[in-house]
């Protein structure tokens, strides 16, 4: 049996008090001055230990309360109430919801799979990834238990171009020369961030976590510094500045270089391959209406890995916006029709916020996924975007200790790996390479809705179409 992939986790507390969902409102007016106030009965001693974090202006009543409701229920004059913390409601936006952010914070702290305990409370369906369900028909088979090791489930993927056939000479000697491949134990790489407050600690945390989890982190060419030298085996250098500025020595040391798509990108690939034939080249471009045609043209010309990017909410270019899962399905199907799909590796990025999104993008046809904002959220980012306006970061991300950041990211990725094993186990799939493009094992809300209601003249429930 292959050696089991396991990510070491360790509890890594937040530096700042996390913003919690429920706050406490305790009125003084009308107090009956009971001999035994319910506040004294709090088993967590929340009222006795009450303090104010003057740096964040946070009352510890809101952050230390464990939501047992004992004081709320027992106060005879109903002077204590629980309410949704307004700071919590203000976290993130419609896509990066407070629930998603809180979920990532918890996983980054302890590396555990989030468990809601009381069943699923969300809507039946929604936009984006929520309009897709995976087939969990094998969930009752206890042998398919990847987390606890009773059956090995592989999440390993190869990045690179694959040969469709091998040629041998008359003596049986292999004469085909297979293109270089890079293997990663999890279909996740770390991408460049759409925004961040700067500071090299963030990049170093990404790289350290990439090394620990045996994956890769994409680094802008201009951000590469000499103190990242030891991480070169885990770096995907995004040559978005000027690839000709890269020294031959650097090109020979790197395993992967990413190029922005351009008219002469294949000529650049050839130039780099002459210097280092073992190099794997990614070609990166933004999802759009023409993405299928462009991906097929690149695959035909010899592209090895195509990195398809969406914006932070998973949408492609504005002139023809389509959610990433839907566009990747189109591209995957187009490449199959052109007989090119198995030759090239597809990576999708943008809007990936939860572990289930990784599984869903793979089912839609991506070989692997590049993750960005969740890694920053793992390091306490609140998705307030103040850094995009040059305003100081409320959680001082520019000055983090990279080892602390890497530990939080490692915990998050471990939680995601375990959730991926859960999904695959429940689907009865033991090999993630076989899950790629398995759209027959998923249901898509818009398609079901169309199938059922199109003949009745009823408008769509999601977008009114
Ligand atoms: S709700 Fe429970 S934990 Fe929170 S302050 Fe009241 S008694 Fe303490
Ligand atoms: S917390 Fe706000 S300012 Fe800090 S990195 Fe996140 S989005 Fe930027």
């Amino acid at each position: 049996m292959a050696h089991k992939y396991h990510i070491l986790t360790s509890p890594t507390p937040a530096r700042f008090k996390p913003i919690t969902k429920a706050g406490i409102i305790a009125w003084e007016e009308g107090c009956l001055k009971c001999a035994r106030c319910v506040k004294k009965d709090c088993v967590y001693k929340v009222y006795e230990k009450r303090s104010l974090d003057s740096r964040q202006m946070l009352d510890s009543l809101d952050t230390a309360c464990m939501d047992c409701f004992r004081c709320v229920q027992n106060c005879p004059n109903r002077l204590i109430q629980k309410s949704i913390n307004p700071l919590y409601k203000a976290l993130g936006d419609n896509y990066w919801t407070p629930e998603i952010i809180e979920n990532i914070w918890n996983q980054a702290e302890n590396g555990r799979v989030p468990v809601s305990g009381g069943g699923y409370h969300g809507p039946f369906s929604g936009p984006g990834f929520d309009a897709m369900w995976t087939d969990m028909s094998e969930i009752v088979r206890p042998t398919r238990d990847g987390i606890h090791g009773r059956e090995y489930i592989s999440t390993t993927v190869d990045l690179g171009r694959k040969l469709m056939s091998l040629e041998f000479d008359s003596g049986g000697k292999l004469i085909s020369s297979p293109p270089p491949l890079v293997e990663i134990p999890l279909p996740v790489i770390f991408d460049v961030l759409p925004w961040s407050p700067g500071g090299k600690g963030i990049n170093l945390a990404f790289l350290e976590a990439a090394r620990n989890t045996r994956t890769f982190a994409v680094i802008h060419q201009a951000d590469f510094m000499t103190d990242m030298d030891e991480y070169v085996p885990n770096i995907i250098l995004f040559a978005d500045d000027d690839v000709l500025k890269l020294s031959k020595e650097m090109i020979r040391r790197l395993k992967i270089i990413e190029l922005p798509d351009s008219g002469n990108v294949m000529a650049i690939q050839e130039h780099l391959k002459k210097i280092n034939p073992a190099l794997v080249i990614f070609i990166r471009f933004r999802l759009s209406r023409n993405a299928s045609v462009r991906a097929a043209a690149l695959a035909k010309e010899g592209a090895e890995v195509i990195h398809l990017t969406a914006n932070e909410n998973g949408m492609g270019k504005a002139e023809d916006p389509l959610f990433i899962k839907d566009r990747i399905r189109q591209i995957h199907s187009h490449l199959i029709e052109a007989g090119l799909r198995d030759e090239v590796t597809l990576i999708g990025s943008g809007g990936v916020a939860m572990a289930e999104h990784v599984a869903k993008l793979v089912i839609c046809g991506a070989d692997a996924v590049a993750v960005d904002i969740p890694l920053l959220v793992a390091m306490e980012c609140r998705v307030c975007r103040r850094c995009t306006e040059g305003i100081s970061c409320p959680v001082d991300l520019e000055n983090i200790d990279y080892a602390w950041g890497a530990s939080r990211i490692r915990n998050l990725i471990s939680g995601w790996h375990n959730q991926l094993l859960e999904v695959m186990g429940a689907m009865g799939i033991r090999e993630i390479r076989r899950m790629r493009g398995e759209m027959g094992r998923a249901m898509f809300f818009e398609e079901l809705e169309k199938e059922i209601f199109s003949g009745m003249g009823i408008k769509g429930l999601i977008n009114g179409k």
Side-chain angles (χ1 to χ4, degrees):
M1 192 170 100
H3 183 66
K4 198 172 178 199
Y5 176 60
H6 178 69
I7 300 173
L8 279 180
T9 59
S10 54
T12 313
R15 297 163 307 149
F16 291 78
K17 285 204 169 67
I19 294 171
T20 47
K21 185 170 187 175
I24 281 205
I25 302 171
W27 303 99
E28 296 293 332
E29 295 81 13
C31 175
L32 301 174
K33 310 283 183 224
C34 306
R36 177 91 197 160
C37 174
V38 290
K39 293 177 184 172
K40 292 199 174 74
D41 291 339
C42 172
V43 289
Y44 303 102
K45 308 285 177 221
V46 165
Y47 293 96
E48 286 170 38
K49 295 183 199 160
R50 185 176 188 178
S51 64
L52 178 76
D53 180 335
S54 53
R55 193 168 164 210
Q56 296 182 77
M57 292 309 287
L58 280 183
D59 187 335
S60 69
L61 268 190
D62 294 333
T63 52
C65 172
M66 303 303 280
D67 294 336
C68 75
F69 279 79
R70 184 176 183 173
C71 59
V72 177
Q73 279 182 329
N74 292 348
C75 174
N77 230 13
R78 296 279 177 262
L79 297 182
I80 301 175
Q81 292 155 19
K82 295 280 303 174
S83 66
I84 301 286
N85 183 352
L87 288 176
Y88 180 85
K89 277 203 255 184
L91 282 175
D93 55 30
N94 286 342
Y95 191 93
W96 296 91
T97 60
E99 290 75 20
I100 286 178
I101 294 171
E102 185 187 26
N103 217 301
I104 294 174
W105 284 346
N106 288 336
Q107 290 176 79
E109 185 143 342
N110 54 41
R112 294 196 204 117
V113 172
V115 180
S116 66
Y120 174 66
H121 303 291
F124 177 65
S125 180
F129 287 113
D130 288 342
M132 176 180 174
W133 305 296
T134 55
D135 166 7
M136 304 287 208
S137 56
E138 305 235 6
I139 202 161
V140 290
R141 278 189 61 185
T143 54
R144 302 261 189 219
D145 188 344
I147 296 181
H148 302 293
R150 278 174 276 175
E151 182 166 345
Y152 186 64
I153 294 180
S154 169
T155 52
T156 299
V157 290
D158 305 304
L159 308 176
R161 192 172 174 89
K162 283 119 198 165
L163 283 183
M164 289 301 99
S165 59
L166 297 175
E167 284 180 46
F168 298 86
D169 67 13
S170 52
K173 197 173 158 225
L174 182 68
I175 50 174
S176 314
S177 52
L181 280 181
V182 171
E183 190 182 270
I184 48 173
L186 188 68
V188 171
I189 59 171
F190 304 161
D191 206 1
V192 288
L193 292 164
W195 29 257
S196 80
K200 66 180 180 182
I202 296 173
N203 274 339
L204 285 175
F206 279 30
L207 288 170
E208 178 69 17
R211 179 161 68 181
N212 299 154
T213 51
R214 304 198 336 249
T215 186
F216 287 82
V218 184
I219 297 288
H220 283 292
Q221 186 179 349
D223 288 346
F224 183 82
M225 292 177 201
T226 46
D227 49 3
M228 295 176 186
D229 224 49
E230 60 174 303
Y231 296 106
V232 164
N234 297 90
I235 287 180
I236 298 171
L237 198 75
F238 183 25
D240 54 342
D241 183 6
D242 180 359
V243 71
L244 298 176
K245 282 189 195 161
L246 288 177
S247 69
K248 284 191 178 170
E249 194 220 336
M250 187 66 177
I251 295 168
R252 286 194 190 106
R253 289 180 61 211
L254 285 161
K255 286 186 184 164
I256 305 176
I257 290 184
E258 181 160 88
L259 301 172
D261 190 19
S262 66
N264 63 346
V265 72
M266 296 312 297
I268 300 172
Q269 172 169 312
E270 205 183 317
H271 163 76
L272 294 171
K273 290 273 186 185
K274 275 187 192 146
I275 299 168
N276 179 5
L279 193 65
V280 174
I281 305 284
F282 286 21
I283 298 174
R284 180 185 185 111
F285 67 88
R286 188 69 177 265
L287 288 169
S288 70
R289 189 200 310 250
N290 300 323
S292 299
V293 174
R294 183 61 186 151
L298 286 170
K300 215 171 191 168
E301 287 179 51
E304 300 179 324
V305 180
I306 300 176
H307 183 171
L308 305 151
T309 67
N311 71 11
E312 59 201 75
N313 296 344
M315 301 305 287
K317 279 187 176 166
E319 63 266 23
D320 183 29
L322 193 62
F323 192 69
I324 182 167
K325 80 173 197 316
D326 304 305
R327 189 64 82 192
I328 286 196
R329 284 179 76 195
Q330 277 183 358
I331 297 167
H332 174 77
S333 304
H334 185 79
L335 289 173
I336 289 175
E337 281 161 27
L340 295 162
R341 180 61 190 96
D342 286 331
E343 291 182 38
V344 72
T345 300
L346 292 185
I347 293 182
S349 67
V352 175
M354 300 163 78
E356 67 170 73
H357 299 172
V358 176
K360 287 178 173 176
L361 269 193
V362 171
I363 291 170
C364 287
D367 293 276
V369 169
V371 182
D372 45 26
I373 296 172
L375 308 177
L376 202 59
V377 176
M379 298 190 288
E380 295 184 278
C381 170
R382 296 175 178 178
V383 195
C384 66
R385 296 184 178 81
R386 284 166 55 151
C387 50
T388 61
E389 293 163 24
I391 305 171
S392 68
C393 173
V395 287
D396 200 20
L397 262 165
E398 52 272 71
N399 295 313
I400 56 158
D401 167 11
Y402 79 91
W404 169 88
S407 180
R408 302 258 310 177
I409 293 173
R410 209 166 46 230
N411 287 348
L412 175 70
I413 297 300
S414 172
W416 281 25
H417 176 235
N418 285 336
Q419 287 165 81
L420 200 52
L421 294 179
E422 286 280 306
V423 173
M424 291 173 68
M427 290 179 74
I429 294 176
R430 296 174 58 189
E431 164 71 66
I432 199 147
R433 295 179 182 104
R434 291 195 53 210
M435 194 162 96
R436 187 200 74 191
E438 276 287 313
M439 288 178 244
R441 299 293 309 278
M443 291 187 285
F444 298 88
F445 180 75
E446 287 98 338
E447 286 171 13
L448 291 174
E449 188 190 41
K450 212 163 155 189
E451 205 177 293
I452 296 163
F453 297 113
S454 60
M456 303 182 197
I458 299 172
K459 281 196 171 185
L461 299 177
I462 288 185
N463 48 20
K465 283 181 192 157

